[in-house]
Amino acid sequence: MQQSYLKLLDNNKVWVKEKLANNPNYFLKLSQLQAPDYLWIGCSDSRVPANEITGTEPGEVFVHRNIANMVVHTDMNMLSVLDYAVNVLHVKHVIVCGHYGCGGVLAAMGNHQFGLIDNWLRHIKDGYDKHRTELDAITYNTERANRFVEISVMEQVHHLSQTSIIQNSWKNHKRPSIHGWVYDLKTGIIKDLNVLMDGMEDVSGVYKFDDAKS
Ligand code: CO
């Protein structure tokens, strides 16, 4: 069997050489400080790599990825990343980036079982159900799926705003801004959904905490 993974290690050596040729202190500098301005919450899909599609370098973006870029308020992994990004790294922006043609979103829109992942897809299904009047009115399947990708991203932006981590930071530090984007696999272009949330006025009802903790 060909050891295809070995090419990754070879690629790494080439990459190190290129970086050092441009800047002999590249790794020394990176190893001394991590100060990214952005937290990226994206899909695990191999075609949506945060750094490549945003033209950013190592050190610029703190990244959390899961299937269908979900913000699930009981997900200790996501919460730990969010807490570290907001309270230790002091990121200025949190970006939720979905993508058209997302397998997780498509699976959640259907009625088939896929096994264990059904329990994760359930969170996406809940988003569909919340917006089903709008979504069910779209007859063309691809169009409906694309719209749901956008709606799901907006839902995750709201979920972030409903966390005590974000609300406490808004009250105490007036950051971060939360953005919703969708990446198009067919063109490489990122669409800004213009659903910016950046303060307590963007939170309502029982989700709003009146008592900020510092
Ligand atoms: Co996806």
Side-chain angles (χ1 to χ4, degrees), residues 16-44:
V16 169
K17 262 187 199 160
E18 282 172 3
K19 289 294 179 193
L20 291 176
N22 285 333
N23 178 2
N25 292 320
Y26 185 80
F27 293 103
L28 183 67
K29 192 164 164 262
L30 263 182
S31 68
Q32 288 166 345
L33 181 71
Q34 174 176 227
D37 282 338
Y38 316 97
L39 166 61
W40 174 275
I41 298 178
C43 184
S44 296

Side-chain angles (χ1 to χ4, degrees), residues 100-111 114 124 141-142 145-146 148-149:
Y100 298 119
C102 183
V105 169
L106 291 170
M109 291 175 75
N111 298 97
F114 295 92
I124 314 175
N141 282 345
T142 307
N146 287 348
F148 184 35
V149 163

